[in-house]
Amino acid sequence: HCAGLPQARAALRALCAIPDGGYKTRPGLLCFVMSLALTRGPEACAADADAGGEGALTSQFGQSAQELVNLALTGRATSNVFDGSMQMAPGLELRGVPARPAVGYLSHLDALRYLEVGDYLKRPRFPAWVVASQSHFSVVFGTG
């Protein structure tokens, strides 16, 4: 646990400096996630998420939370995949994707009608999408 930004930066530098034999696997993904969070800023990541939510980038069992996926795709750690924001009640705003990202996002949960992915993520600036299924992510792209 890092109490502040300087400690988080020092932890990232130390982690990335460990020789290959220091872990069972290389820490590249962890460094990528920490880089995303530090670039946006921990406070900004927490503020991007829905009010009352934890704003965590990983879920209870260590999987990627939607906030982490959105941070990687849009630069904002918002909690939802719909376009823009929705005012649910006074003082309760749900935050979605603020603009069209370069790379899109599709989910099998959209096809099952458990959620609706917004047009910003369905129609990114480039023909490439991260596709979420029950147990993993895939990347698809088009050339024309």
Side-chain angles (χ1 to χ4, degrees), residues 1-100:
H1 176 70
C2 298
L5 191 56
Q7 290 173 328
R9 284 187 177 138
L12 179 60
R13 281 191 204 101
L15 180 65
C16 292
I18 292 174
D20 288 344
Y23 287 96
K24 292 181 182 177
T25 61
R26 294 181 181 174
L29 182 60
L30 181 58
C31 289
F32 174 67
V33 170
M34 289 181 69
S35 174
L36 288 171
L38 292 174
T39 298
R40 178 75 179 137
E43 295 83 12
C45 286
D48 288 343
D50 287 344
E54 293 180 19
L57 298 180
T58 58
S59 66
Q60 179 182 3
F61 299 107
Q63 298 99 332
S64 167
Q66 190 63 50
E67 288 84 354
L68 178 57
V69 175
N70 287 352
L71 180 61
L73 294 175
T74 71
R76 302 282 173 115
T78 56
S79 301
N80 301 288
V81 294
F82 51 75
D83 296 343
S85 297
M86 290 186 190
Q87 194 71 33
M88 301 305 290
L92 179 60
E93 178 183 47
L94 301 182
R95 295 177 189 95
V97 177
R100 280 178 64 204

